[in-house]
Amino acid sequence: MHYLTVSLSHKNSDIELREKFTYTDDEKEGCLKRLVQSPSISEAMLLATCNRMEISVCCSDIDDALNHIMTLLTFKGGLSAEYLKETAEIVDDSSAIHHLFAVASSIDSMVVGETQIAGQLKDAFRFAHEKGYAGKKMSRALSHAFKCAAKVRNHTDISSKPVSVASVAITQIKEQVSELHTKKALVIGVGEMSEICAKHLVSDGVETYITNRTKQKAETLAQECSAKVYDFGDLHKAVNEFDIIFTATSASYPIITNELIENVDFQRFWFDLAIPRDIDINQRDDIYLFVVDDIQDIVEANRAEREQYVRQAHGIVGRSVVEFFEWLDALNVEPIIKEIYKKADKAVETETQRALKKGFIPKEYEMQAKKMAQQAIKRFLHDMTKKMREASHEAKSDTVTGAMQYILNDEHDNIPDQYKHHLKKD
């Protein structure tokens, strides 16, 4: 079994490319369903945020699984498989696990140290698991990824003064807008980024409104943030009334376009953090438009500030990857040992019955003879199974467990397939 991940992120693709690979919940389920239709793919998970789209699978054949994924992405984005292979980050086995742990620990994020990614990963796995597309193998990887992320948070200051894409947008607002407390702001959407932005605006004394297609959700968030509710049906009026508009919806098409815009006598500041983008307008002098990819300068400054912690985090991630595969190997040895003892007990029973039949021992000594044989075999196997457990934590564990599986295997055996991996130096 192998782990395989295909990633399109802020590191290798711009916003125009990433928004070709956005998915509604129904589309996510359809993608996962098509992924596991490949005979090589047993489990799948899809992570989609404003900065990344990643498909992670558990597969029996990496090349076959990758070709299947590329076929689906080609159909989705209208781009060639060759282009996608050149653009995307494609990692397998230990490199895929290293990537997953780095993502969970936020050292692969656009804003290093941001705290949203762990929740987004959990949501992605929960969705795949509840729909029946992710199981034990993916669960093991995610569980260890979150443990790794916790170690990074606890042993470094990478998440001190936590930031996010939304908080960076707020910083931009403060830099661009003078006398912020005199402005009126509209937050479109009710997700986590919208909540962060609304709370910041309210705390800075900005008259803040929340709007959403589902009015009840807007009312709930507005109550939590001490904001007001704006009718989504009046959005065409809002674009010409509000000084500040922040939008981060899951709409599959732009909700603010040129047709809605009128000339006004004040400067407007619009912040679009949605993928695909919520705002599609021509460049105008009276509208400052900020999108996700515009935070690059701030991102670089943030990374420079946290460089020491990033190095520490990479060390933790590297060790956690090794520990994960050692743990998998240890899991793999135990059923083999159990099978050895099971075959030994079967041999004891067979030989005891043969001895009775041949008259080598009287019937009344059957239990004593069987017990003596069992004790002799346990003593014989003790050192061997101890060394097997010790070897499961070493690099040669693949050889040991593979050989034992080959020796023990027959049509009646039910020994799990070995976790194949290649620990590579990062």
Side-chain angles (χ1 to χ4, degrees), residues 332-333 335-336 398-410 413 415-420:
N332 205 41
V333 164
I336 294 176
D398 270 355
T399 304
V400 174
T401 54
M404 293 307 301
Q405 284 181 334
Y406 176 78
I407 292 168
L408 289 169
N409 188 47
D410 63 40
D413 289 341
I415 303 172
D417 287 338
Q418 186 175 359
Y419 288 88
K420 299 294 183 185

PDB file of all heavy atoms in Angstrom, residues 332-333 335-336 398-410 413 415-420:
ATOM      1  N   ASN A 332       2.486  -4.100  11.831  1.00  0.00           N
ATOM      2  CA  ASN A 332       2.556  -5.156  10.836  1.00  0.00           C
ATOM      3  C   ASN A 332       3.174  -6.433  11.377  1.00  0.00           C
ATOM      4  O   ASN A 332       2.880  -7.520  10.902  1.00  0.00           O
ATOM      5  CB  ASN A 332       3.381  -4.643   9.645  1.00  0.00           C
ATOM      6  CG  ASN A 332       3.021  -5.367   8.369  1.00  0.00           C
ATOM      7  OD1 ASN A 332       1.862  -5.625   8.114  1.00  0.00           O
ATOM      8  ND2 ASN A 332       4.026  -5.696   7.598  1.00  0.00           N
ATOM      9  N   VAL A 333       4.050  -6.321  12.384  1.00  0.00           N
ATOM     10  CA  VAL A 333       4.733  -7.489  12.931  1.00  0.00           C
ATOM     11  C   VAL A 333       3.794  -8.330  13.802  1.00  0.00           C
ATOM     12  O   VAL A 333       3.851  -9.561  13.783  1.00  0.00           O
ATOM     13  CB  VAL A 333       5.976  -7.043  13.746  1.00  0.00           C
ATOM     14  CG1 VAL A 333       6.464  -8.171  14.630  1.00  0.00           C
ATOM     15  CG2 VAL A 333       7.076  -6.595  12.808  1.00  0.00           C
ATOM     16  N   PRO A 335       0.513  -9.199  13.783  1.00  0.00           N
ATOM     17  CA  PRO A 335      -0.274 -10.293  13.192  1.00  0.00           C
ATOM     18  C   PRO A 335       0.576 -11.452  12.692  1.00  0.00           C
ATOM     19  O   PRO A 335       0.123 -12.602  12.686  1.00  0.00           O
ATOM     20  CB  PRO A 335      -1.025  -9.617  12.029  1.00  0.00           C
ATOM     21  CG  PRO A 335      -0.490  -8.260  11.888  1.00  0.00           C
ATOM     22  CD  PRO A 335       0.279  -7.914  13.111  1.00  0.00           C
ATOM     23  N   ILE A 336       1.818 -11.156  12.292  1.00  0.00           N
ATOM     24  CA  ILE A 336       2.715 -12.225  11.843  1.00  0.00           C
ATOM     25  C   ILE A 336       3.087 -13.124  13.020  1.00  0.00           C
ATOM     26  O   ILE A 336       3.060 -14.352  12.921  1.00  0.00           O
ATOM     27  CB  ILE A 336       3.986 -11.637  11.201  1.00  0.00           C
ATOM     28  CG1 ILE A 336       3.623 -10.902   9.908  1.00  0.00           C
ATOM     29  CG2 ILE A 336       5.015 -12.731  10.915  1.00  0.00           C
ATOM     30  CD1 ILE A 336       4.801 -10.206   9.252  1.00  0.00           C
ATOM     31  N   ASP A 398      11.336  -4.017   6.519  1.00  0.00           N
ATOM     32  CA  ASP A 398      10.656  -4.471   5.308  1.00  0.00           C
ATOM     33  C   ASP A 398      11.112  -5.870   4.922  1.00  0.00           C
ATOM     34  O   ASP A 398      10.316  -6.734   4.574  1.00  0.00           O
ATOM     35  CB  ASP A 398      10.960  -3.520   4.149  1.00  0.00           C
ATOM     36  CG  ASP A 398       9.946  -2.391   4.067  1.00  0.00           C
ATOM     37  OD1 ASP A 398       8.989  -2.421   4.842  1.00  0.00           O
ATOM     38  OD2 ASP A 398      10.141  -1.492   3.239  1.00  0.00           O
ATOM     39  N   THR A 399      12.411  -6.087   4.982  1.00  0.00           N
ATOM     40  CA  THR A 399      12.982  -7.381   4.595  1.00  0.00           C
ATOM     41  C   THR A 399      12.515  -8.481   5.533  1.00  0.00           C
ATOM     42  O   THR A 399      12.118  -9.572   5.104  1.00  0.00           O
ATOM     43  CB  THR A 399      14.523  -7.303   4.610  1.00  0.00           C
ATOM     44  OG1 THR A 399      14.947  -6.241   3.772  1.00  0.00           O
ATOM     45  CG2 THR A 399      15.130  -8.609   4.131  1.00  0.00           C
ATOM     46  N   VAL A 400      12.559  -8.186   6.840  1.00  0.00           N
ATOM     47  CA  VAL A 400      12.190  -9.192   7.844  1.00  0.00           C
ATOM     48  C   VAL A 400      10.728  -9.574   7.721  1.00  0.00           C
ATOM     49  O   VAL A 400      10.379 -10.758   7.611  1.00  0.00           O
ATOM     50  CB  VAL A 400      12.491  -8.668   9.265  1.00  0.00           C
ATOM     51  CG1 VAL A 400      11.969  -9.652  10.313  1.00  0.00           C
ATOM     52  CG2 VAL A 400      13.980  -8.440   9.446  1.00  0.00           C
ATOM     53  N   THR A 401       9.841  -8.572   7.747  1.00  0.00           N
ATOM     54  CA  THR A 401       8.408  -8.872   7.712  1.00  0.00           C
ATOM     55  C   THR A 401       8.009  -9.464   6.364  1.00  0.00           C
ATOM     56  O   THR A 401       7.157 -10.353   6.297  1.00  0.00           O
ATOM     57  CB  THR A 401       7.575  -7.613   8.001  1.00  0.00           C
ATOM     58  OG1 THR A 401       7.977  -6.564   7.101  1.00  0.00           O
ATOM     59  CG2 THR A 401       7.772  -7.144   9.422  1.00  0.00           C
ATOM     60  N   GLY A 402       8.639  -8.975   5.295  1.00  0.00           N
ATOM     61  CA  GLY A 402       8.325  -9.525   3.976  1.00  0.00           C
ATOM     62  C   GLY A 402       8.695 -10.995   3.884  1.00  0.00           C
ATOM     63  O   GLY A 402       7.936 -11.809   3.348  1.00  0.00           O
ATOM     64  N   ALA A 403       9.862 -11.343   4.414  1.00  0.00           N
ATOM     65  CA  ALA A 403      10.307 -12.741   4.390  1.00  0.00           C
ATOM     66  C   ALA A 403       9.380 -13.626   5.221  1.00  0.00           C
ATOM     67  O   ALA A 403       9.002 -14.730   4.799  1.00  0.00           O
ATOM     68  CB  ALA A 403      11.738 -12.843   4.905  1.00  0.00           C
ATOM     69  N   MET A 404       8.999 -13.151   6.404  1.00  0.00           N
ATOM     70  CA  MET A 404       8.136 -13.942   7.282  1.00  0.00           C
ATOM     71  C   MET A 404       6.755 -14.124   6.658  1.00  0.00           C
ATOM     72  O   MET A 404       6.160 -15.208   6.753  1.00  0.00           O
ATOM     73  CB  MET A 404       8.015 -13.280   8.656  1.00  0.00           C
ATOM     74  CG  MET A 404       9.301 -13.274   9.459  1.00  0.00           C
ATOM     75  SD  MET A 404      10.040 -14.941   9.628  1.00  0.00           S
ATOM     76  CE  MET A 404       8.726 -15.844  10.425  1.00  0.00           C
ATOM     77  N   GLN A 405       6.234 -13.065   6.005  1.00  0.00           N
ATOM     78  CA  GLN A 405       4.939 -13.208   5.345  1.00  0.00           C
ATOM     79  C   GLN A 405       5.015 -14.245   4.227  1.00  0.00           C
ATOM     80  O   GLN A 405       4.095 -15.038   4.041  1.00  0.00           O
ATOM     81  CB  GLN A 405       4.487 -11.856   4.781  1.00  0.00           C
ATOM     82  CG  GLN A 405       3.953 -10.909   5.860  1.00  0.00           C
ATOM     83  CD  GLN A 405       3.497  -9.585   5.269  1.00  0.00           C
ATOM     84  OE1 GLN A 405       3.972  -9.177   4.220  1.00  0.00           O
ATOM     85  NE2 GLN A 405       2.604  -8.916   5.948  1.00  0.00           N
ATOM     86  N   TYR A 406       6.125 -14.237   3.497  1.00  0.00           N
ATOM     87  CA  TYR A 406       6.291 -15.196   2.403  1.00  0.00           C
ATOM     88  C   TYR A 406       6.349 -16.621   2.944  1.00  0.00           C
ATOM     89  O   TYR A 406       5.728 -17.550   2.396  1.00  0.00           O
ATOM     90  CB  TYR A 406       7.564 -14.868   1.622  1.00  0.00           C
ATOM     91  CG  TYR A 406       7.862 -15.866   0.530  1.00  0.00           C
ATOM     92  CD1 TYR A 406       7.167 -15.819  -0.685  1.00  0.00           C
ATOM     93  CD2 TYR A 406       8.820 -16.865   0.717  1.00  0.00           C
ATOM     94  CE1 TYR A 406       7.431 -16.748  -1.680  1.00  0.00           C
ATOM     95  CE2 TYR A 406       9.087 -17.780  -0.279  1.00  0.00           C
ATOM     96  CZ  TYR A 406       8.392 -17.723  -1.476  1.00  0.00           C
ATOM     97  OH  TYR A 406       8.655 -18.639  -2.461  1.00  0.00           O
ATOM     98  N   ILE A 407       7.087 -16.818   4.038  1.00  0.00           N
ATOM     99  CA  ILE A 407       7.237 -18.145   4.626  1.00  0.00           C
ATOM    100  C   ILE A 407       5.905 -18.667   5.148  1.00  0.00           C
ATOM    101  O   ILE A 407       5.553 -19.839   4.983  1.00  0.00           O
ATOM    102  CB  ILE A 407       8.279 -18.121   5.763  1.00  0.00           C
ATOM    103  CG1 ILE A 407       9.681 -17.855   5.183  1.00  0.00           C
ATOM    104  CG2 ILE A 407       8.260 -19.413   6.568  1.00  0.00           C
ATOM    105  CD1 ILE A 407      10.724 -17.532   6.229  1.00  0.00           C
ATOM    106  N   LEU A 408       5.133 -17.750   5.797  1.00  0.00           N
ATOM    107  CA  LEU A 408       3.893 -18.181   6.446  1.00  0.00           C
ATOM    108  C   LEU A 408       2.715 -18.287   5.490  1.00  0.00           C
ATOM    109  O   LEU A 408       1.731 -18.954   5.788  1.00  0.00           O
ATOM    110  CB  LEU A 408       3.521 -17.197   7.560  1.00  0.00           C
ATOM    111  CG  LEU A 408       4.417 -17.216   8.807  1.00  0.00           C
ATOM    112  CD1 LEU A 408       4.095 -16.029   9.691  1.00  0.00           C
ATOM    113  CD2 LEU A 408       4.221 -18.513   9.570  1.00  0.00           C
ATOM    114  N   ASN A 409       2.790 -17.597   4.377  1.00  0.00           N
ATOM    115  CA  ASN A 409       1.612 -17.417   3.537  1.00  0.00           C
ATOM    116  C   ASN A 409       1.135 -18.733   2.921  1.00  0.00           C
ATOM    117  O   ASN A 409       1.886 -19.509   2.386  1.00  0.00           O
ATOM    118  CB  ASN A 409       1.914 -16.420   2.421  1.00  0.00           C
ATOM    119  CG  ASN A 409       0.656 -16.061   1.639  1.00  0.00           C
ATOM    120  OD1 ASN A 409      -0.379 -15.765   2.229  1.00  0.00           O
ATOM    121  ND2 ASN A 409       0.758 -16.093   0.331  1.00  0.00           N
ATOM    122  N   ASP A 410      -0.183 -18.942   3.020  1.00  0.00           N
ATOM    123  CA  ASP A 410      -0.854 -19.973   2.234  1.00  0.00           C
ATOM    124  C   ASP A 410      -2.284 -19.498   2.027  1.00  0.00           C
ATOM    125  O   ASP A 410      -2.684 -18.458   2.489  1.00  0.00           O
ATOM    126  CB  ASP A 410      -0.798 -21.361   2.908  1.00  0.00           C
ATOM    127  CG  ASP A 410      -1.514 -21.398   4.246  1.00  0.00           C
ATOM    128  OD1 ASP A 410      -2.592 -20.774   4.358  1.00  0.00           O
ATOM    129  OD2 ASP A 410      -1.005 -22.061   5.169  1.00  0.00           O
ATOM    130  N   ASP A 413      -4.285 -18.212   5.038  1.00  0.00           N
ATOM    131  CA  ASP A 413      -3.793 -17.146   5.900  1.00  0.00           C
ATOM    132  C   ASP A 413      -4.494 -15.827   5.616  1.00  0.00           C
ATOM    133  O   ASP A 413      -4.973 -15.573   4.520  1.00  0.00           O
ATOM    134  CB  ASP A 413      -2.290 -16.949   5.726  1.00  0.00           C
ATOM    135  CG  ASP A 413      -1.505 -18.109   6.333  1.00  0.00           C
ATOM    136  OD1 ASP A 413      -2.080 -18.834   7.176  1.00  0.00           O
ATOM    137  OD2 ASP A 413      -0.347 -18.285   5.956  1.00  0.00           O
ATOM    138  N   ILE A 415      -3.045 -12.539   6.574  1.00  0.00           N
ATOM    139  CA  ILE A 415      -2.093 -11.561   7.083  1.00  0.00           C
ATOM    140  C   ILE A 415      -2.230 -10.278   6.272  1.00  0.00           C
ATOM    141  O   ILE A 415      -2.229 -10.316   5.055  1.00  0.00           O
ATOM    142  CB  ILE A 415      -0.647 -12.090   6.962  1.00  0.00           C
ATOM    143  CG1 ILE A 415      -0.537 -13.424   7.715  1.00  0.00           C
ATOM    144  CG2 ILE A 415       0.357 -11.098   7.510  1.00  0.00           C
ATOM    145  CD1 ILE A 415       0.776 -14.126   7.500  1.00  0.00           C
ATOM    146  N   PRO A 416      -2.375  -9.112   6.931  1.00  0.00           N
ATOM    147  CA  PRO A 416      -2.555  -7.857   6.195  1.00  0.00           C
ATOM    148  C   PRO A 416      -1.377  -7.566   5.277  1.00  0.00           C
ATOM    149  O   PRO A 416      -0.242  -7.944   5.554  1.00  0.00           O
ATOM    150  CB  PRO A 416      -2.631  -6.796   7.308  1.00  0.00           C
ATOM    151  CG  PRO A 416      -2.957  -7.549   8.555  1.00  0.00           C
ATOM    152  CD  PRO A 416      -2.355  -8.903   8.383  1.00  0.00           C
ATOM    153  N   ASP A 417      -1.670  -6.892   4.149  1.00  0.00           N
ATOM    154  CA  ASP A 417      -0.592  -6.455   3.257  1.00  0.00           C
ATOM    155  C   ASP A 417       0.333  -5.509   3.994  1.00  0.00           C
ATOM    156  O   ASP A 417      -0.087  -4.709   4.814  1.00  0.00           O
ATOM    157  CB  ASP A 417      -1.174  -5.719   2.039  1.00  0.00           C
ATOM    158  CG  ASP A 417      -1.847  -6.688   1.095  1.00  0.00           C
ATOM    159  OD1 ASP A 417      -1.517  -7.879   1.158  1.00  0.00           O
ATOM    160  OD2 ASP A 417      -2.713  -6.236   0.325  1.00  0.00           O
ATOM    161  N   GLN A 418       1.590  -5.611   3.655  1.00  0.00           N
ATOM    162  CA  GLN A 418       2.608  -4.790   4.311  1.00  0.00           C
ATOM    163  C   GLN A 418       2.541  -3.358   3.814  1.00  0.00           C
ATOM    164  O   GLN A 418       2.210  -3.093   2.681  1.00  0.00           O
ATOM    165  CB  GLN A 418       3.992  -5.351   3.988  1.00  0.00           C
ATOM    166  CG  GLN A 418       5.126  -4.670   4.742  1.00  0.00           C
ATOM    167  CD  GLN A 418       6.420  -5.384   4.447  1.00  0.00           C
ATOM    168  OE1 GLN A 418       6.417  -6.346   3.731  1.00  0.00           O
ATOM    169  NE2 GLN A 418       7.498  -4.913   5.008  1.00  0.00           N
ATOM    170  N   TYR A 419       2.813  -2.415   4.723  1.00  0.00           N
ATOM    171  CA  TYR A 419       2.880  -1.011   4.327  1.00  0.00           C
ATOM    172  C   TYR A 419       4.225  -0.767   3.662  1.00  0.00           C
ATOM    173  O   TYR A 419       5.265  -0.767   4.304  1.00  0.00           O
ATOM    174  CB  TYR A 419       2.741  -0.090   5.548  1.00  0.00           C
ATOM    175  CG  TYR A 419       1.352  -0.065   6.099  1.00  0.00           C
ATOM    176  CD1 TYR A 419       0.935  -0.982   7.059  1.00  0.00           C
ATOM    177  CD2 TYR A 419       0.439   0.863   5.636  1.00  0.00           C
ATOM    178  CE1 TYR A 419      -0.350  -0.970   7.545  1.00  0.00           C
ATOM    179  CE2 TYR A 419      -0.857   0.887   6.123  1.00  0.00           C
ATOM    180  CZ  TYR A 419      -1.245  -0.032   7.082  1.00  0.00           C
ATOM    181  OH  TYR A 419      -2.514  -0.011   7.566  1.00  0.00           O
ATOM    182  N   LYS A 420       4.201  -0.610   2.351  1.00  0.00           N
ATOM    183  CA  LYS A 420       5.434  -0.373   1.607  1.00  0.00           C
ATOM    184  C   LYS A 420       5.798   1.095   1.683  1.00  0.00           C
ATOM    185  O   LYS A 420       4.948   1.959   1.548  1.00  0.00           O
ATOM    186  CB  LYS A 420       5.246  -0.752   0.135  1.00  0.00           C
ATOM    187  CG  LYS A 420       4.903  -2.234  -0.036  1.00  0.00           C
ATOM    188  CD  LYS A 420       6.051  -3.116   0.391  1.00  0.00           C
ATOM    189  CE  LYS A 420       5.752  -4.569   0.157  1.00  0.00           C
ATOM    190  NZ  LYS A 420       6.805  -5.433   0.672  1.00  0.00           N
TER     191      LYS A 420
END
